[in-house]
Amino acid sequence: MAHSVRRDAPELPDFSLLKRLARDQLIYLLEQLPGRKDLFIEADLMSPLDRIANVTTLKQHDVDKLYKVEHKPIVSTSDQTVRGCFLYPLTNWFLFPDVVNADKAFGRFRRYKIIFSPQKFYACENLLEEQGIFGDVTTDEWSFYLLPLDDDIISLELPEFFRDYFLEGDQRWVRTAGSALHLLHSVYGPFSKVYGIGRCSKMAYESWREQVEEGEQRARQAEIGNVFLIDRDVDLVTPLCSQVVYEGLVDDIFRIKCGCVEFCPDVTSSDKSIKVMLNSQDKVFNEIRNEHFSQVFGFLSQKARNLQTAYDKRSGMDIKQMKTFVSEELKGLKQEHRLLSLHIGASESMMKKKTKQDFQELLKTEHSLLEGFEIRECISYIEEHINRQVSMVESMRLLCLLSLTENGLLPKDYRSLKAQFLQSYGIEHLLTFSNLKQLGLLVEQQPGETLTVMESRVGKLVNDKTAGKLTDAFSSLAKKSNFRALGRRLNLVPKSDEEYDLRVPRDMAYIFSGAYIPLSCKLIEQVLERDGWTGLEEVTRMLNGHEFAVTAGSNGSDARVKTDSQRIILVMFLGGCTFSEISALRFLGREKGLKFIVVTTAITNSARLLESMLDNHA
């Protein structure tokens, strides 16, 4: 099942230190409030906290009870209350002043401490002042910037970053991204070069450089070579495509949260759900996570046979051999058997769900959109999808994919599809359409965008009444979208007449069944090969620029032979990254003898990205 390795890959840095730093800082903050205390924590922070400091650790530092902050009054029995929370959403802020004021009314005077994470904003202190409780509360900040989810995945756990920055224009998290880079730079040594594209990436880079200049400089052994920063809106097509690598598909269907997934009874073949950590420690998962789903069943079947063979060895054993087998092998075999059962159950469950939704027909439509073929048939498929009231987010995804690949919808198509969508899913989604338009996800072509001057003249000579269908078809043929032009320039869409063998992938397109190489990953590959943006000027112009390449340090960048650290590339996605892109970069790393570390503001997929655009998102 394993792919061939072209060159020995370097060892990755140990990121467990990041967890220890976060845990130690949290403990320090808790100990600043001595005695028994309750810890109230925003729901979004529960999963990251669980990965960093478990309940036992918290109890060792006098945390009496742990509460999840919800829309209901908070009741606490201890003398002190520590409350850790994300700043977004601010929906639960009104509850905290109520707690303080209620305590005052009953003559209870406790000490309160609010721990902001990942950073404290002045606006929050102003809010406390407005509520008249500023003097009753001490505030601090838990600078928790980076959570390692696996050996090569680190998350800032800021799912709100995408909407806040790209839709609302709120830049408050840019400094957080800069601080995360600064932490990596401080712990894992100087970077050789930094490449980037996108306005947010440029600002995050500048924020990091400011922090480097403010802090002390220490000579350290470099563990990471080059860094690549990329804005999510540079490539919005990739996260809208259906994921078909195993890990991506598990995320699409079961939602992986903080590296953990909850498999339902349907998967576990029992009456209860089970939470499972999905990382490289799970040997079964580690071998199938990057594989195209069509290859997974074959692998799991072979694994089951091998496991049975290992169990069958017991039959001819004497007592001494049996004792050795029980003490050395049996526990590992049982663990592997348990994990194998879960992944077989998950695969079967996913297979059932995807068969129900006519998954092959859906993928065929997506591939046609990516290739630019049979667009009218694709529109008919989307209309049917909407009118049958199949999943609203799924219909929205197809509309956005159509718009992005075709450089906007023809006015009559836009109006028709919008009307059908609102009729099917509710008029309340009008604002959602406004959000999608603002972000460029779903737009109407403006007059003059689709036809050249000569083609316009020809169009005027045609009588509209007699040739309405002809002019529509003509317009469709004449569109020149950036996606099409980028696809040709970077060879993103392999020729469909060539057979693609998913058992032996030849490029990163395997993550989308050979139909499409993710633009984000292709850019990274091209820039690393060229050691900069030279020769990609046309591409960067179509992507609205803001590209940069900076030599950041003297980490042997002039040496003829690359050191191990220089073959480790850190890629930071600002606005989210999909598991499919991570699989593509792992493939690229194997091919080039590199190792990629993915740092992302959050793991995303089409549903998460579009749900953040909904008008009721708050």
Side-chain angles (χ1 to χ4, degrees), residues 59 104 106 118 127 172 235 290-291 333 335 361 377 415 451 467 469 471 484 557 569 617:
K59 284 193 179 296
K104 282 180 179 179
F106 282 101
L127 191 61
R172 61 179 162 171
D235 174 16
N290 302 310
E291 298 299 329
L333 287 174
Q335 171 72 353
E361 196 64 33
E377 284 85 343
R415 287 192 294 272
L451 304 178
K469 288 185 179 178
T471 51
R484 297 273 168 260
S557 53
I569 316 294
H617 180 88

Side-chain angles (χ1 to χ4, degrees), residues 206-222:
E206 285 162 1
S207 169
W208 163 58
R209 288 310 305 171
E210 282 170 18
Q211 292 175 64
V212 168
E213 284 159 18
E214 287 167 11
E216 57 175 304
Q217 298 294 310
R218 292 195 306 273
R220 292 178 308 282
Q221 181 67 40

Side-chain angles (χ1 to χ4, degrees), residues 181-378:
L181 265 180
H182 186 235
L183 178 59
L184 289 163
H185 180 260
S186 304
V187 176
Y188 300 102
F191 307 140
S192 300
K193 291 193 174 177
V194 182
Y195 310 101
I197 184 163
R199 188 163 165 264
C200 186
S201 292
K202 206 161 195 175
M203 288 195 297
Y205 167 76
E206 285 162 1
S207 169
W208 163 58
R209 288 310 305 171
E210 282 170 18
Q211 292 175 64
V212 168
E213 284 159 18
E214 287 167 11
E216 57 175 304
Q217 298 294 310
R218 292 195 306 273
R220 292 178 308 282
Q221 181 67 40
E223 293 185 64
I224 296 170
N226 298 333
V227 176
F228 196 105
L229 309 179
I230 184 166
D231 283 17
R232 181 70 273 169
D233 72 343
V234 165
D235 174 16
L236 290 168
V237 169
T238 300
L240 290 178
C241 293
S242 292
Q243 302 193 82
V244 285
V245 290
Y246 182 74
E247 189 167 16
L249 203 47
V250 170
D251 187 42
D252 275 358
I253 292 175
F254 299 106
R255 294 279 179 117
I256 299 172
K257 188 173 184 182
C258 244
C260 186
V261 68
E262 187 168 340
F263 284 135
C264 55
D266 183 37
V267 171
T268 61
S269 301
S270 66
D271 56 355
K272 59 180 181 177
S273 297
I274 296 177
K275 282 191 175 180
V276 182
M277 290 293 294
L278 293 179
N279 55 34
S280 53
Q281 301 303 306
D282 178 339
K283 289 178 182 175
V284 177
F285 174 70
N286 197 42
E287 291 192 62
I288 58 175
R289 68 192 308 180
N290 302 310
E291 298 299 329
H292 189 278
F293 189 63
S294 63
Q295 306 303 303
V296 169
F297 266 118
F299 169 80
L300 292 174
S301 301
Q302 184 58 49
K303 194 82 177 169
R305 285 193 290 272
N306 295 347
L307 206 57
Q308 190 59 52
T309 305
Y311 273 124
D312 290 345
K313 284 195 307 184
R314 294 174 298 177
S315 56
M317 288 182 180
D318 57 29
I319 293 174
K320 189 180 178 183
Q321 288 170 325
M322 182 65 79
K323 192 177 178 182
T324 306
F325 174 79
V326 170
S327 62
E328 293 177 9
E329 291 182 56
L330 190 59
K331 189 180 177 184
L333 287 174
K334 282 185 173 176
Q335 171 72 353
E336 205 168 335
H337 183 267
R338 186 183 75 86
L339 293 169
L340 185 63
S341 298
L342 280 173
H343 291 298
I344 289 172
S347 298
E348 287 173 341
S349 177
M350 290 192 290
M351 204 71 158
K352 283 178 200 165
K353 285 184 172 72
K354 290 305 177 186
T355 307
K356 275 182 193 171
Q357 294 171 7
D358 302 320
F359 194 46
Q360 293 308 316
E361 196 64 33
L362 180 69
L363 288 181
K364 184 185 166 191
T365 302
E366 278 184 40
H367 295 172
S368 293
L369 290 172
L370 291 165
E371 292 162 8
F373 294 152
E374 301 176 335
I375 299 303
R376 299 314 309 177
E377 284 85 343
C378 292

